[in-house]
Amino acid sequence: MRKVIIVEGKQDAAFVKVLAPDLEVREIELKELEGGGKNHQDTLRKALKAIQNDNQFNPVDKIGILLDLDPGDFTVESRLAFVNECTEIVFGIKLESINAFRQASDLQLACHFIQPNLDVLLRKIAAKPSPRADCLHACLASQENAKQKESEKAWPLYYMRWDICDFAERANGAKNVSFNYTHSKGAWNIEAPDLAELKAFLSLF
């Protein structure tokens, strides 16, 4: 039966598709929020409500919520409370923990938090040398007004553009400076132990 996993954005969706290439066989759909931070609670609530409404005509068996933890904004407990405010409004239930399903009428819900976030996880699983990305990232991080989240987000982009893509590929950055394309060039180690918890969550669907 149909399952839906809610992710924060396009890069998250591309990442999940690589980790779980059999999504279609398992009837898993990905729904992009375009943001899952502390100011996006209403976005998550609306996404859950849309799935609930759709469930009346196209039944859903399981819903997964996959978000960055973002420890600058949340602890695991407060992030779970963030999710639960939405699940309680829409489905009348609260999740007791991450990585475990809770029954809500005729479907089940579960959530998982990428710790600390997808950008840092990507840096951990980079499979090729990254001298240019490291240099540019160090320069950015040294700036007095640089925010940690911004510098974390910048590293994967630097790595894909300057360490993985060549000059001709960079000319079409919109297409090539992406997780999908750079994965095809061996940029990421998807067998890395750092992915074990996320893979375990995806295996629940």
Side-chain angles (χ1 to χ4, degrees):
M1 187 181 287
R2 178 172 167 245
K3 302 102 176 169
V4 180
I5 298 178
I6 297 171
V7 297
E8 291 195 19
K10 295 185 186 303
Q11 181 162 271
D12 305 75
F15 187 56
V16 169
K17 288 176 183 177
V18 168
L19 293 185
D22 58 344
L23 289 178
E24 290 187 11
V25 175
R26 289 195 275 159
E27 297 184 80
I28 299 173
E29 300 173 17
L30 299 179
K31 187 175 185 65
E32 299 170 16
L33 287 179
E34 296 305 333
K38 61 182 179 180
N39 299 321
H40 288 82
Q41 197 164 35
D42 194 50
T43 306
L44 176 58
R45 180 187 60 77
K46 288 178 179 177
L48 290 170
K49 186 64 179 177
I51 297 171
Q52 183 191 53
N53 292 338
D54 191 42
N55 183 47
Q56 300 177 43
F57 308 99
N58 189 3
V60 176
D61 180 37
K62 295 177 178 179
I63 299 174
I65 302 169
L66 179 59
L67 304 174
D68 288 342
L69 177 60
D70 286 332
D73 297 325
F74 298 101
T75 62
V76 173
E77 291 74 20
S78 63
R79 191 54 150 161
L80 186 60
F82 171 98
V83 170
N84 278 335
E85 284 189 36
C86 300
T87 59
E88 186 172 27
I89 290 171
V90 178
F91 294 103
I93 61 108
K94 290 184 177 182
L95 303 179
E96 296 177 357
S97 62
I98 61 173
N99 305 326
F101 282 108
R102 180 77 191 275
Q103 192 72 35
S105 184
D106 57 345
L107 54 79
Q108 299 179 77
L109 290 95
C111 68
H112 178 81
F113 306 140
I114 298 174
Q115 302 189 39
N117 55 55
L118 180 59
D119 299 306
V120 172
L121 182 59
L122 288 177
R123 187 172 185 178
K124 289 180 178 180
I125 66 166
K128 294 192 174 185
S130 55
R132 294 178 178 179
D134 293 342
C135 181
L136 289 167
H137 180 264
C139 181
L140 174 62
S142 69
Q143 301 300 308
E144 186 175 341
N145 60 348
K147 296 181 179 179
Q148 181 177 348
K149 188 179 291 187
E150 291 176 351
S151 62
E152 289 174 349
K153 191 174 291 292
W155 190 92
L157 296 174
Y158 292 153
Y159 174 65
M160 291 186 288
R161 175 176 290 276
W162 298 108
D163 290 306
I164 303 302
C165 291
D166 60 26
F167 180 81
E169 290 166 330
R170 288 196 291 271
N172 190 359
K175 175 186 176 183
N176 298 331
V177 182
S178 65
F179 182 81
N180 276 340
Y181 184 77
T182 55
H183 173 63
S184 73
K185 298 191 67 176
W188 312 102
N189 175 17
I190 62 170
E191 302 304 323
D194 301 277
L195 298 176
E197 289 187 7
L198 177 53
K199 286 181 176 180
F201 176 71
L202 296 175
S203 73
L204 299 175
F205 292 85

